[in-house]
Amino acid sequence: MSQLHERVRDARQRAGLSQGELARQAGVHPTYISHVESGRRSLGDDALTRIAQILGVPAAFLRDGEAAPGYRSAQDALVEARGLVRAGDARAAVQVLDVVDVSELDVDGAARVGLAYAEALDVAGDLDASIDVLERVCTKLLEAHRYQQGAYAAMRIVMALTEAADLHRAVGRGEELLALLPPEVMATDEVVRLESTIIWAYIARGDVTYARYRGSRLLERTRAHGSRRALSSVHWNLAFVDEALGQPDSALAQLEAAIALAGEDEVDRDLPRLRLDRAFLLVAVEPPRPQEALADLDAARTALEISESQVELARAASVRSRAWLQLGDSEAAARYAVEAVDLLRDGVRRDAASAHEVLGDALLAQMSPTEAVKEYRSAADLLDMIASGRSAATLWRRIGDRLRVAGDDDERVAEAYSRALAAAGIRGTLPPLSRGRS
């Protein structure tokens, strides 16, 4: 718990004011501010109100800090909301956080509530509302010169837009927010991770060559000035550049570097997600390595469950399904695929289309082509709501392949291939394909 003098000093510095500037604006002698910040004097009610207004923080925060009633109420709401999300009732968590009064909180306290609110909306399936909340949080943080925290919120915005497959907006908004940050914070972990996430959005959009160039430059800068964690983030995103370029072995090497740099202190943060991504690549390489993929998923299981991210849990289930299918156990593959589909029933995401696709694969392996076609068509329906780009084009191509193998109508197969071309920016349509044609 900070003391009054510490809160005044911290708020003044964050506002970019000297003691003399604050004194002039508040109409007090400069030594008065100096004595307050050293703890030798307190603040009367009138002076506290004036100084709080100048510093842009609630008077209750300056006076009582996190012991203020507004802070205690917000903290109770955060604890309750996290419990509700953990119990699988994200919509109730949204309702709890929706009524929190952030007017009595400083910008950092309000940001904590806002980020939790955005996460609850995301888990509840309302990704658009989640993005709107993140935008407001990011704007407030940047206006208050909390540049590193603002960069973190900006990274969340880019991630959410990419998950929603709004790829042009993800790239454009990410670049806009990055340009608002001052040079002195560009080597910090949060800003490097923001730029790495923007590179990920470029990859998803199909700008792989530019993503490689941008990533290589970021890698050089981060090696010279960044932390191990920041460097891990760059290698992480470069793995997906290499994967998009058809270089799976290089992609795995990038992930190995990222995992080595993450270190054991990241066990509850990045390391489980890195293992999840490595498992994804291990079932995609030729020849696939499903046993290693399952080992990675087992190592990451507990931390992923604690993180409560529906997207990551669904992705892990999808990868497990693919691994078991490669091992010849279609029953286990179907079970995990159903789990992935159930986790992503709310909202529209690329991962939901992939979950239906992998369930179709499992059903096809169980000699249930009619049911498999239903799942592939569900994936296609979701893809109809996803913006164009490399990821959409790749998924449409795979759906076309699956529909053809499952024996769906030639017209639907041809339409899927045509959609793949359109998503990749290639005009024209394909003629109907003859069944059995490769």
Side-chain angles (χ1 to χ4, degrees), residues 351-362:
D351 296 279
S354 297
H356 282 284
E357 177 196 350
V358 75
L359 178 55
D361 291 349

Side-chain angles (χ1 to χ4, degrees), residues 176-198:
E176 289 172 358
L177 293 169
L178 184 64
L180 296 176
L181 301 172
E184 60 266 23
V185 301
M186 297 309 287
T188 61
D189 287 359
E190 293 82 1
V191 179
V192 170
R193 288 162 73 88
L194 167 59
E195 189 167 359
S196 293
T197 306
I198 295 170

Side-chain angles (χ1 to χ4, degrees), residues 163-180:
E163 285 179 10
D166 195 347
L167 303 176
H168 295 294
R169 186 178 165 202
V171 167
R173 189 60 180 139
E175 296 287 20
E176 289 172 358
L177 293 169
L178 184 64
L180 296 176

Side-chain angles (χ1 to χ4, degrees), residues 343-365:
L343 283 165
L344 296 175
R345 285 200 181 279
D346 295 325
V348 177
R349 301 176 185 275
R350 292 177 303 142
D351 296 279
S354 297
H356 282 284
E357 177 196 350
V358 75
L359 178 55
D361 291 349
L363 291 168
L364 195 60

